[in-house]
Amino acid sequence: MKSWRSRIGVGLAVGAAAVAIPLSATSAFAAPPPGDGWVPVGAERYPSKAACEASELPMAQANGYHEVWCDDSKEIMPIFNR
């Protein structure tokens, strides 16, 4: 039979993990586009995500980037290059 002290210690560790996991998961959700290396370059209003990315790609390539990602969850879309 385990002592009360070891049971309390295990209970506290499990409780701390239960709190830490959701807190760390929410910070990942707030990140820019999936993956590494994305650089925020501005924001603009476009009629669609596809229009944003098609319009922004030539400017991104002129500045040495090869990808564009527009965040269409906002009315004025944040734009990221990589």
Side-chain angles (χ1 to χ4, degrees), residues 44-57:
E44 190 71 43
R45 185 184 311 258
Y46 284 97
S48 69
K49 180 177 177 68
C52 175
E53 292 174 349
S55 178
E56 293 291 328
L57 185 58

Side-chain angles (χ1 to χ4, degrees), residues 13-28:
V14 170
V19 170
I21 291 169
L23 290 177
S24 63
T26 56
S27 63

Side-chain angles (χ1 to χ4, degrees), residues 47-71:
S48 69
K49 180 177 177 68
C52 175
E53 292 174 349
S55 178
E56 293 291 328
L57 185 58
M59 289 181 275
Q61 290 172 334
N63 289 307
Y65 297 102
H66 62 277
E67 289 182 89
V68 174
W69 186 83
C70 298
D71 181 359

